[in-house]
Amino acid sequence: MRSKVVLRRLVKNKQTRYGLIGVLLLLVLAYVGPFVAPYDWSDKDFMAFMQPPGPDHWWGTTQTGGDVFANTLRGLQKSLVIGFLVALISTGLAALVGAAAGYFGGWVDRILMWGVDLLLVLPSFLIIAILSPRLKGGTWLLFVLLLALFGWMITSRVVRSMTLSLREREYVLAARYMGIPGWRIILRHVLPNLSSLLIIDATLNVSGAIIGETSLSFFGFGVQAPDVSLGTLIADGSGTSTVISYPWLFLFPAGLLVALVLSVNLIGDGLRDALDPGSTS
């Protein structure tokens, strides 16, 4: 019954519809666009440097002859993958750590929350900025892990406080008296009852991770050359003279970034309204 109510609210919610349409269009553009593009993102046209948008290069070219359309779609792909992976890892980590701390209590709670407090006071941006250039030549998945490592602590505290209440519910006490292991109780009874919070958190973490990746890449601390992301493309085209003289280098990746973050946030707001028990829609 609850799933039907939530689905009905999602269908009726304009924000969710617009957000889903936006994300689907961006996914199609990112993964279908390269098949119809006349150039690959790694191709160079040495006869067209800083060429404006035209029939040969739809979104113009870069200072090295790269196709802006192909490069931007490649950057969009990278930002999408990083955003979704970081959100999945950080929300999963927050769920497991918070639920374990709240359910087991005692020394488990003290140790886990001490680790959470330690990570909260560390300057995450500075640490990632220092470590990420040292990963140059390695897999970009290490950069994903760095971003996810500093994005779950506040949610884990919320999960812990909610678990403290859930562990006293009758069905949890019954499962405990039946001798079911604690981790199985957490996975079967605690986390499913926190699914509303976790779904919303994961959705909003996508946009947060994309903005974080873009910010770090903008300053040269994120995705490393020769690969590209929306952040590196925006950085390459963000010079004062470049924006004025060659606006296509900046406008296309920046426009896709704004559209992506806005669409994800609309989905998150719609999910929050649909999953809110107090909503009357």
Side-chain angles (χ1 to χ4, degrees), residues 141-175:
L141 291 175
L142 295 176
F143 178 61
V144 169
L145 294 177
L146 277 178
L147 284 174
L149 181 63
F150 294 97
W152 58 274
M153 294 83 71
I154 295 177
T155 303
S156 72
R157 281 196 162 278
V158 177
V159 171
R160 173 185 176 272
S161 64
M162 297 179 71
T163 303
L164 289 174
S165 173
L166 287 174
R167 72 177 183 178
E168 303 302 326
R169 298 288 178 88
E170 292 80 1
Y171 53 87
V172 175
L173 293 176

PDB file of all heavy atoms in Angstrom, residues 141-175:
ATOM      1  N   LEU A 141      39.010   5.438 -10.113  1.00  0.00           N
ATOM      2  CA  LEU A 141      38.182   4.908  -9.033  1.00  0.00           C
ATOM      3  C   LEU A 141      38.746   5.276  -7.655  1.00  0.00           C
ATOM      4  O   LEU A 141      37.993   5.395  -6.685  1.00  0.00           O
ATOM      5  CB  LEU A 141      38.058   3.388  -9.156  1.00  0.00           C
ATOM      6  CG  LEU A 141      37.230   2.883 -10.342  1.00  0.00           C
ATOM      7  CD1 LEU A 141      37.287   1.367 -10.430  1.00  0.00           C
ATOM      8  CD2 LEU A 141      35.778   3.346 -10.227  1.00  0.00           C
ATOM      9  N   LEU A 142      40.059   5.472  -7.578  1.00  0.00           N
ATOM     10  CA  LEU A 142      40.644   5.917  -6.316  1.00  0.00           C
ATOM     11  C   LEU A 142      40.165   7.318  -5.958  1.00  0.00           C
ATOM     12  O   LEU A 142      39.953   7.640  -4.787  1.00  0.00           O
ATOM     13  CB  LEU A 142      42.178   5.891  -6.417  1.00  0.00           C
ATOM     14  CG  LEU A 142      42.808   4.510  -6.599  1.00  0.00           C
ATOM     15  CD1 LEU A 142      44.316   4.632  -6.781  1.00  0.00           C
ATOM     16  CD2 LEU A 142      42.495   3.621  -5.397  1.00  0.00           C
ATOM     17  N   PHE A 143      39.965   8.146  -6.967  1.00  0.00           N
ATOM     18  CA  PHE A 143      39.420   9.475  -6.740  1.00  0.00           C
ATOM     19  C   PHE A 143      37.976   9.378  -6.249  1.00  0.00           C
ATOM     20  O   PHE A 143      37.549  10.149  -5.384  1.00  0.00           O
ATOM     21  CB  PHE A 143      39.504  10.295  -8.031  1.00  0.00           C
ATOM     22  CG  PHE A 143      38.920  11.673  -7.935  1.00  0.00           C
ATOM     23  CD1 PHE A 143      39.430  12.592  -7.035  1.00  0.00           C
ATOM     24  CD2 PHE A 143      37.855  12.053  -8.735  1.00  0.00           C
ATOM     25  CE1 PHE A 143      38.897  13.866  -6.936  1.00  0.00           C
ATOM     26  CE2 PHE A 143      37.315  13.314  -8.650  1.00  0.00           C
ATOM     27  CZ  PHE A 143      37.836  14.232  -7.746  1.00  0.00           C
ATOM     28  N   VAL A 144      37.219   8.431  -6.778  1.00  0.00           N
ATOM     29  CA  VAL A 144      35.849   8.196  -6.320  1.00  0.00           C
ATOM     30  C   VAL A 144      35.845   7.811  -4.837  1.00  0.00           C
ATOM     31  O   VAL A 144      35.042   8.310  -4.046  1.00  0.00           O
ATOM     32  CB  VAL A 144      35.183   7.095  -7.163  1.00  0.00           C
ATOM     33  CG1 VAL A 144      33.863   6.646  -6.541  1.00  0.00           C
ATOM     34  CG2 VAL A 144      34.946   7.584  -8.582  1.00  0.00           C
ATOM     35  N   LEU A 145      36.762   6.927  -4.455  1.00  0.00           N
ATOM     36  CA  LEU A 145      36.837   6.508  -3.055  1.00  0.00           C
ATOM     37  C   LEU A 145      37.198   7.669  -2.142  1.00  0.00           C
ATOM     38  O   LEU A 145      36.691   7.773  -1.014  1.00  0.00           O
ATOM     39  CB  LEU A 145      37.858   5.374  -2.907  1.00  0.00           C
ATOM     40  CG  LEU A 145      37.497   4.055  -3.584  1.00  0.00           C
ATOM     41  CD1 LEU A 145      38.623   3.041  -3.435  1.00  0.00           C
ATOM     42  CD2 LEU A 145      36.201   3.491  -3.009  1.00  0.00           C
ATOM     43  N   LEU A 146      38.069   8.561  -2.605  1.00  0.00           N
ATOM     44  CA  LEU A 146      38.427   9.727  -1.806  1.00  0.00           C
ATOM     45  C   LEU A 146      37.216  10.619  -1.574  1.00  0.00           C
ATOM     46  O   LEU A 146      36.976  11.096  -0.461  1.00  0.00           O
ATOM     47  CB  LEU A 146      39.537  10.526  -2.502  1.00  0.00           C
ATOM     48  CG  LEU A 146      40.974  10.048  -2.302  1.00  0.00           C
ATOM     49  CD1 LEU A 146      41.932  10.926  -3.099  1.00  0.00           C
ATOM     50  CD2 LEU A 146      41.362  10.079  -0.821  1.00  0.00           C
ATOM     51  N   LEU A 147      36.457  10.864  -2.629  1.00  0.00           N
ATOM     52  CA  LEU A 147      35.261  11.695  -2.485  1.00  0.00           C
ATOM     53  C   LEU A 147      34.236  11.032  -1.560  1.00  0.00           C
ATOM     54  O   LEU A 147      33.621  11.696  -0.720  1.00  0.00           O
ATOM     55  CB  LEU A 147      34.622  11.948  -3.855  1.00  0.00           C
ATOM     56  CG  LEU A 147      35.305  12.961  -4.769  1.00  0.00           C
ATOM     57  CD1 LEU A 147      34.621  12.985  -6.125  1.00  0.00           C
ATOM     58  CD2 LEU A 147      35.288  14.350  -4.151  1.00  0.00           C
ATOM     59  N   ALA A 148      34.052   9.714  -1.719  1.00  0.00           N
ATOM     60  CA  ALA A 148      33.062   9.007  -0.899  1.00  0.00           C
ATOM     61  C   ALA A 148      33.485   8.947   0.562  1.00  0.00           C
ATOM     62  O   ALA A 148      32.633   8.933   1.460  1.00  0.00           O
ATOM     63  CB  ALA A 148      32.855   7.589  -1.439  1.00  0.00           C
ATOM     64  N   LEU A 149      34.785   8.947   0.831  1.00  0.00           N
ATOM     65  CA  LEU A 149      35.278   8.824   2.198  1.00  0.00           C
ATOM     66  C   LEU A 149      34.849   9.977   3.083  1.00  0.00           C
ATOM     67  O   LEU A 149      34.692   9.816   4.297  1.00  0.00           O
ATOM     68  CB  LEU A 149      36.814   8.724   2.173  1.00  0.00           C
ATOM     69  CG  LEU A 149      37.524   8.576   3.520  1.00  0.00           C
ATOM     70  CD1 LEU A 149      37.109   7.266   4.187  1.00  0.00           C
ATOM     71  CD2 LEU A 149      39.035   8.628   3.347  1.00  0.00           C
ATOM     72  N   PHE A 150      34.615  11.151   2.478  1.00  0.00           N
ATOM     73  CA  PHE A 150      34.288  12.334   3.274  1.00  0.00           C
ATOM     74  C   PHE A 150      32.848  12.796   3.060  1.00  0.00           C
ATOM     75  O   PHE A 150      32.523  13.949   3.365  1.00  0.00           O
ATOM     76  CB  PHE A 150      35.246  13.473   2.917  1.00  0.00           C
ATOM     77  CG  PHE A 150      36.674  13.227   3.303  1.00  0.00           C
ATOM     78  CD1 PHE A 150      37.577  12.740   2.377  1.00  0.00           C
ATOM     79  CD2 PHE A 150      37.106  13.446   4.599  1.00  0.00           C
ATOM     80  CE1 PHE A 150      38.896  12.500   2.725  1.00  0.00           C
ATOM     81  CE2 PHE A 150      38.417  13.196   4.959  1.00  0.00           C
ATOM     82  CZ  PHE A 150      39.326  12.723   4.031  1.00  0.00           C
ATOM     83  N   GLY A 151      31.974  11.923   2.575  1.00  0.00           N
ATOM     84  CA  GLY A 151      30.618  12.363   2.277  1.00  0.00           C
ATOM     85  C   GLY A 151      29.513  11.623   2.998  1.00  0.00           C
ATOM     86  O   GLY A 151      28.351  11.723   2.583  1.00  0.00           O
ATOM     87  N   TRP A 152      29.813  10.903   4.079  1.00  0.00           N
ATOM     88  CA  TRP A 152      28.807  10.037   4.684  1.00  0.00           C
ATOM     89  C   TRP A 152      28.591  10.268   6.178  1.00  0.00           C
ATOM     90  O   TRP A 152      27.655   9.732   6.768  1.00  0.00           O
ATOM     91  CB  TRP A 152      29.219   8.576   4.507  1.00  0.00           C
ATOM     92  CG  TRP A 152      30.565   8.259   5.100  1.00  0.00           C
ATOM     93  CD1 TRP A 152      31.771   8.405   4.497  1.00  0.00           C
ATOM     94  CD2 TRP A 152      30.833   7.766   6.416  1.00  0.00           C
ATOM     95  NE1 TRP A 152      32.785   8.023   5.355  1.00  0.00           N
ATOM     96  CE2 TRP A 152      32.232   7.634   6.536  1.00  0.00           C
ATOM     97  CE3 TRP A 152      30.025   7.423   7.498  1.00  0.00           C
ATOM     98  CZ2 TRP A 152      32.848   7.178   7.694  1.00  0.00           C
ATOM     99  CZ3 TRP A 152      30.633   6.965   8.664  1.00  0.00           C
ATOM    100  CH2 TRP A 152      32.026   6.842   8.742  1.00  0.00           C
ATOM    101  N   MET A 153      29.402  11.095   6.818  1.00  0.00           N
ATOM    102  CA  MET A 153      29.425  11.138   8.278  1.00  0.00           C
ATOM    103  C   MET A 153      28.148  11.706   8.900  1.00  0.00           C
ATOM    104  O   MET A 153      27.625  11.160   9.882  1.00  0.00           O
ATOM    105  CB  MET A 153      30.646  11.931   8.757  1.00  0.00           C
ATOM    106  CG  MET A 153      31.978  11.266   8.441  1.00  0.00           C
ATOM    107  SD  MET A 153      32.526  11.617   6.765  1.00  0.00           S
ATOM    108  CE  MET A 153      32.960  13.347   6.875  1.00  0.00           C
ATOM    109  N   ILE A 154      27.642  12.811   8.340  1.00  0.00           N
ATOM    110  CA  ILE A 154      26.440  13.427   8.920  1.00  0.00           C
ATOM    111  C   ILE A 154      25.244  12.486   8.790  1.00  0.00           C
ATOM    112  O   ILE A 154      24.460  12.316   9.737  1.00  0.00           O
ATOM    113  CB  ILE A 154      26.164  14.778   8.239  1.00  0.00           C
ATOM    114  CG1 ILE A 154      27.296  15.757   8.551  1.00  0.00           C
ATOM    115  CG2 ILE A 154      24.821  15.341   8.695  1.00  0.00           C
ATOM    116  CD1 ILE A 154      27.141  17.098   7.873  1.00  0.00           C
ATOM    117  N   THR A 155      25.114  11.850   7.617  1.00  0.00           N
ATOM    118  CA  THR A 155      24.012  10.899   7.436  1.00  0.00           C
ATOM    119  C   THR A 155      24.128   9.727   8.401  1.00  0.00           C
ATOM    120  O   THR A 155      23.118   9.229   8.905  1.00  0.00           O
ATOM    121  CB  THR A 155      23.990  10.386   5.989  1.00  0.00           C
ATOM    122  OG1 THR A 155      23.887  11.490   5.097  1.00  0.00           O
ATOM    123  CG2 THR A 155      22.822   9.450   5.761  1.00  0.00           C
ATOM    124  N   SER A 156      25.349   9.282   8.668  1.00  0.00           N
ATOM    125  CA  SER A 156      25.515   8.158   9.591  1.00  0.00           C
ATOM    126  C   SER A 156      25.039   8.516  10.991  1.00  0.00           C
ATOM    127  O   SER A 156      24.495   7.656  11.704  1.00  0.00           O
ATOM    128  CB  SER A 156      26.986   7.725   9.629  1.00  0.00           C
ATOM    129  OG  SER A 156      27.786   8.683  10.309  1.00  0.00           O
ATOM    130  N   ARG A 157      25.192   9.757  11.397  1.00  0.00           N
ATOM    131  CA  ARG A 157      24.702  10.179  12.712  1.00  0.00           C
ATOM    132  C   ARG A 157      23.169  10.166  12.748  1.00  0.00           C
ATOM    133  O   ARG A 157      22.560   9.791  13.753  1.00  0.00           O
ATOM    134  CB  ARG A 157      25.230  11.571  13.051  1.00  0.00           C
ATOM    135  CG  ARG A 157      26.673  11.564  13.553  1.00  0.00           C
ATOM    136  CD  ARG A 157      27.024  12.880  14.225  1.00  0.00           C
ATOM    137  NE  ARG A 157      28.204  12.758  15.053  1.00  0.00           N
ATOM    138  CZ  ARG A 157      28.217  12.275  16.297  1.00  0.00           C
ATOM    139  NH1 ARG A 157      27.081  11.850  16.840  1.00  0.00           N
ATOM    140  NH2 ARG A 157      29.334  12.206  16.979  1.00  0.00           N
ATOM    141  N   VAL A 158      22.552  10.584  11.634  1.00  0.00           N
ATOM    142  CA  VAL A 158      21.092  10.544  11.558  1.00  0.00           C
ATOM    143  C   VAL A 158      20.598   9.100  11.601  1.00  0.00           C
ATOM    144  O   VAL A 158      19.631   8.771  12.307  1.00  0.00           O
ATOM    145  CB  VAL A 158      20.599  11.248  10.284  1.00  0.00           C
ATOM    146  CG1 VAL A 158      19.087  11.150  10.165  1.00  0.00           C
ATOM    147  CG2 VAL A 158      21.036  12.713  10.266  1.00  0.00           C
ATOM    148  N   VAL A 159      21.269   8.221  10.854  1.00  0.00           N
ATOM    149  CA  VAL A 159      20.899   6.803  10.851  1.00  0.00           C
ATOM    150  C   VAL A 159      21.063   6.210  12.241  1.00  0.00           C
ATOM    151  O   VAL A 159      20.217   5.425  12.706  1.00  0.00           O
ATOM    152  CB  VAL A 159      21.765   6.038   9.824  1.00  0.00           C
ATOM    153  CG1 VAL A 159      21.553   4.533   9.957  1.00  0.00           C
ATOM    154  CG2 VAL A 159      21.429   6.482   8.409  1.00  0.00           C
ATOM    155  N   ARG A 160      22.114   6.571  12.931  1.00  0.00           N
ATOM    156  CA  ARG A 160      22.337   6.063  14.298  1.00  0.00           C
ATOM    157  C   ARG A 160      21.198   6.461  15.219  1.00  0.00           C
ATOM    158  O   ARG A 160      20.678   5.614  15.984  1.00  0.00           O
ATOM    159  CB  ARG A 160      23.659   6.600  14.839  1.00  0.00           C
ATOM    160  CG  ARG A 160      23.904   6.276  16.318  1.00  0.00           C
ATOM    161  CD  ARG A 160      25.179   6.938  16.811  1.00  0.00           C
ATOM    162  NE  ARG A 160      25.356   6.713  18.243  1.00  0.00           N
ATOM    163  CZ  ARG A 160      24.846   7.504  19.206  1.00  0.00           C
ATOM    164  NH1 ARG A 160      24.098   8.558  18.852  1.00  0.00           N
ATOM    165  NH2 ARG A 160      25.067   7.246  20.477  1.00  0.00           N
ATOM    166  N   SER A 161      20.813   7.727  15.186  1.00  0.00           N
ATOM    167  CA  SER A 161      19.747   8.181  16.082  1.00  0.00           C
ATOM    168  C   SER A 161      18.423   7.490  15.769  1.00  0.00           C
ATOM    169  O   SER A 161      17.651   7.164  16.693  1.00  0.00           O
ATOM    170  CB  SER A 161      19.595   9.699  15.972  1.00  0.00           C
ATOM    171  OG  SER A 161      19.176  10.079  14.680  1.00  0.00           O
ATOM    172  N   MET A 162      18.137   7.249  14.506  1.00  0.00           N
ATOM    173  CA  MET A 162      16.903   6.558  14.141  1.00  0.00           C
ATOM    174  C   MET A 162      16.969   5.085  14.512  1.00  0.00           C
ATOM    175  O   MET A 162      15.958   4.471  14.889  1.00  0.00           O
ATOM    176  CB  MET A 162      16.634   6.739  12.646  1.00  0.00           C
ATOM    177  CG  MET A 162      16.399   8.182  12.232  1.00  0.00           C
ATOM    178  SD  MET A 162      16.100   8.386  10.459  1.00  0.00           S
ATOM    179  CE  MET A 162      14.465   7.650  10.329  1.00  0.00           C
ATOM    180  N   THR A 163      18.157   4.484  14.428  1.00  0.00           N
ATOM    181  CA  THR A 163      18.322   3.079  14.797  1.00  0.00           C
ATOM    182  C   THR A 163      18.117   2.876  16.289  1.00  0.00           C
ATOM    183  O   THR A 163      17.595   1.831  16.720  1.00  0.00           O
ATOM    184  CB  THR A 163      19.709   2.583  14.370  1.00  0.00           C
ATOM    185  OG1 THR A 163      19.880   2.780  12.967  1.00  0.00           O
ATOM    186  CG2 THR A 163      19.887   1.111  14.689  1.00  0.00           C
ATOM    187  N   LEU A 164      18.524   3.854  17.099  1.00  0.00           N
ATOM    188  CA  LEU A 164      18.318   3.755  18.547  1.00  0.00           C
ATOM    189  C   LEU A 164      16.837   3.577  18.877  1.00  0.00           C
ATOM    190  O   LEU A 164      16.475   2.886  19.841  1.00  0.00           O
ATOM    191  CB  LEU A 164      18.864   5.007  19.237  1.00  0.00           C
ATOM    192  CG  LEU A 164      20.388   5.155  19.266  1.00  0.00           C
ATOM    193  CD1 LEU A 164      20.785   6.514  19.836  1.00  0.00           C
ATOM    194  CD2 LEU A 164      21.022   4.029  20.082  1.00  0.00           C
ATOM    195  N   SER A 165      15.972   4.202  18.072  1.00  0.00           N
ATOM    196  CA  SER A 165      14.527   4.034  18.275  1.00  0.00           C
ATOM    197  C   SER A 165      14.027   2.717  17.697  1.00  0.00           C
ATOM    198  O   SER A 165      13.221   2.014  18.324  1.00  0.00           O
ATOM    199  CB  SER A 165      13.783   5.214  17.634  1.00  0.00           C
ATOM    200  OG  SER A 165      12.395   5.018  17.675  1.00  0.00           O
ATOM    201  N   LEU A 166      14.526   2.374  16.514  1.00  0.00           N
ATOM    202  CA  LEU A 166      14.035   1.165  15.842  1.00  0.00           C
ATOM    203  C   LEU A 166      14.413  -0.109  16.595  1.00  0.00           C
ATOM    204  O   LEU A 166      13.665  -1.099  16.550  1.00  0.00           O
ATOM    205  CB  LEU A 166      14.596   1.102  14.416  1.00  0.00           C
ATOM    206  CG  LEU A 166      14.015   2.087  13.403  1.00  0.00           C
ATOM    207  CD1 LEU A 166      14.779   2.000  12.090  1.00  0.00           C
ATOM    208  CD2 LEU A 166      12.533   1.797  13.172  1.00  0.00           C
ATOM    209  N   ARG A 167      15.545  -0.111  17.275  1.00  0.00           N
ATOM    210  CA  ARG A 167      15.977  -1.352  17.932  1.00  0.00           C
ATOM    211  C   ARG A 167      15.080  -1.736  19.108  1.00  0.00           C
ATOM    212  O   ARG A 167      15.177  -2.847  19.621  1.00  0.00           O
ATOM    213  CB  ARG A 167      17.417  -1.225  18.394  1.00  0.00           C
ATOM    214  CG  ARG A 167      17.637  -0.324  19.585  1.00  0.00           C
ATOM    215  CD  ARG A 167      19.100  -0.328  20.010  1.00  0.00           C
ATOM    216  NE  ARG A 167      19.307   0.475  21.207  1.00  0.00           N
ATOM    217  CZ  ARG A 167      20.497   0.610  21.800  1.00  0.00           C
ATOM    218  NH1 ARG A 167      21.568   0.012  21.295  1.00  0.00           N
ATOM    219  NH2 ARG A 167      20.618   1.341  22.889  1.00  0.00           N
ATOM    220  N   GLU A 168      14.227  -0.811  19.544  1.00  0.00           N
ATOM    221  CA  GLU A 168      13.293  -1.115  20.637  1.00  0.00           C
ATOM    222  C   GLU A 168      11.917  -1.512  20.118  1.00  0.00           C
ATOM    223  O   GLU A 168      11.011  -1.745  20.917  1.00  0.00           O
ATOM    224  CB  GLU A 168      13.165   0.102  21.562  1.00  0.00           C
ATOM    225  CG  GLU A 168      14.482   0.589  22.149  1.00  0.00           C
ATOM    226  CD  GLU A 168      15.196  -0.489  22.942  1.00  0.00           C
ATOM    227  OE1 GLU A 168      14.500  -1.319  23.572  1.00  0.00           O
ATOM    228  OE2 GLU A 168      16.454  -0.497  22.952  1.00  0.00           O
ATOM    229  N   ARG A 169      11.747  -1.577  18.799  1.00  0.00           N
ATOM    230  CA  ARG A 169      10.453  -1.985  18.247  1.00  0.00           C
ATOM    231  C   ARG A 169      10.225  -3.486  18.483  1.00  0.00           C
ATOM    232  O   ARG A 169      11.170  -4.265  18.611  1.00  0.00           O
ATOM    233  CB  ARG A 169      10.415  -1.681  16.749  1.00  0.00           C
ATOM    234  CG  ARG A 169      10.562  -0.205  16.419  1.00  0.00           C
ATOM    235  CD  ARG A 169       9.323   0.581  16.788  1.00  0.00           C
ATOM    236  NE  ARG A 169       9.466   2.008  16.523  1.00  0.00           N
ATOM    237  CZ  ARG A 169       9.183   2.577  15.366  1.00  0.00           C
ATOM    238  NH1 ARG A 169       8.737   1.835  14.350  1.00  0.00           N
ATOM    239  NH2 ARG A 169       9.322   3.880  15.205  1.00  0.00           N
ATOM    240  N   GLU A 170       8.940  -3.865  18.475  1.00  0.00           N
ATOM    241  CA  GLU A 170       8.594  -5.248  18.821  1.00  0.00           C
ATOM    242  C   GLU A 170       9.196  -6.260  17.860  1.00  0.00           C
ATOM    243  O   GLU A 170       9.690  -7.323  18.281  1.00  0.00           O
ATOM    244  CB  GLU A 170       7.068  -5.407  18.851  1.00  0.00           C
ATOM    245  CG  GLU A 170       6.361  -4.668  19.971  1.00  0.00           C
ATOM    246  CD  GLU A 170       6.174  -3.185  19.679  1.00  0.00           C
ATOM    247  OE1 GLU A 170       6.599  -2.753  18.580  1.00  0.00           O
ATOM    248  OE2 GLU A 170       5.636  -2.477  20.534  1.00  0.00           O
ATOM    249  N   TYR A 171       9.167  -5.955  16.556  1.00  0.00           N
ATOM    250  CA  TYR A 171       9.667  -6.936  15.592  1.00  0.00           C
ATOM    251  C   TYR A 171      11.183  -7.115  15.694  1.00  0.00           C
ATOM    252  O   TYR A 171      11.711  -8.195  15.428  1.00  0.00           O
ATOM    253  CB  TYR A 171       9.266  -6.544  14.167  1.00  0.00           C
ATOM    254  CG  TYR A 171       9.645  -5.145  13.752  1.00  0.00           C
ATOM    255  CD1 TYR A 171      10.894  -4.877  13.209  1.00  0.00           C
ATOM    256  CD2 TYR A 171       8.742  -4.099  13.895  1.00  0.00           C
ATOM    257  CE1 TYR A 171      11.243  -3.593  12.825  1.00  0.00           C
ATOM    258  CE2 TYR A 171       9.079  -2.813  13.513  1.00  0.00           C
ATOM    259  CZ  TYR A 171      10.336  -2.562  12.985  1.00  0.00           C
ATOM    260  OH  TYR A 171      10.671  -1.292  12.610  1.00  0.00           O
ATOM    261  N   VAL A 172      11.886  -6.055  16.093  1.00  0.00           N
ATOM    262  CA  VAL A 172      13.331  -6.181  16.283  1.00  0.00           C
ATOM    263  C   VAL A 172      13.626  -6.989  17.549  1.00  0.00           C
ATOM    264  O   VAL A 172      14.505  -7.863  17.563  1.00  0.00           O
ATOM    265  CB  VAL A 172      14.000  -4.795  16.343  1.00  0.00           C
ATOM    266  CG1 VAL A 172      15.481  -4.931  16.673  1.00  0.00           C
ATOM    267  CG2 VAL A 172      13.814  -4.070  15.018  1.00  0.00           C
ATOM    268  N   LEU A 173      12.888  -6.703  18.616  1.00  0.00           N
ATOM    269  CA  LEU A 173      13.077  -7.459  19.852  1.00  0.00           C
ATOM    270  C   LEU A 173      12.739  -8.934  19.648  1.00  0.00           C
ATOM    271  O   LEU A 173      13.446  -9.818  20.157  1.00  0.00           O
ATOM    272  CB  LEU A 173      12.195  -6.872  20.955  1.00  0.00           C
ATOM    273  CG  LEU A 173      12.557  -5.460  21.429  1.00  0.00           C
ATOM    274  CD1 LEU A 173      11.544  -4.961  22.447  1.00  0.00           C
ATOM    275  CD2 LEU A 173      13.964  -5.437  22.012  1.00  0.00           C
ATOM    276  N   ALA A 174      11.681  -9.209  18.875  1.00  0.00           N
ATOM    277  CA  ALA A 174      11.311 -10.596  18.606  1.00  0.00           C
ATOM    278  C   ALA A 174      12.410 -11.312  17.823  1.00  0.00           C
ATOM    279  O   ALA A 174      12.744 -12.468  18.114  1.00  0.00           O
ATOM    280  CB  ALA A 174       9.991 -10.637  17.832  1.00  0.00           C
ATOM    281  N   ALA A 175      12.973 -10.642  16.831  1.00  0.00           N
ATOM    282  CA  ALA A 175      14.052 -11.249  16.058  1.00  0.00           C
ATOM    283  C   ALA A 175      15.272 -11.504  16.929  1.00  0.00           C
ATOM    284  O   ALA A 175      15.948 -12.533  16.793  1.00  0.00           O
ATOM    285  CB  ALA A 175      14.419 -10.331  14.887  1.00  0.00           C
TER     286      ALA A 175
END
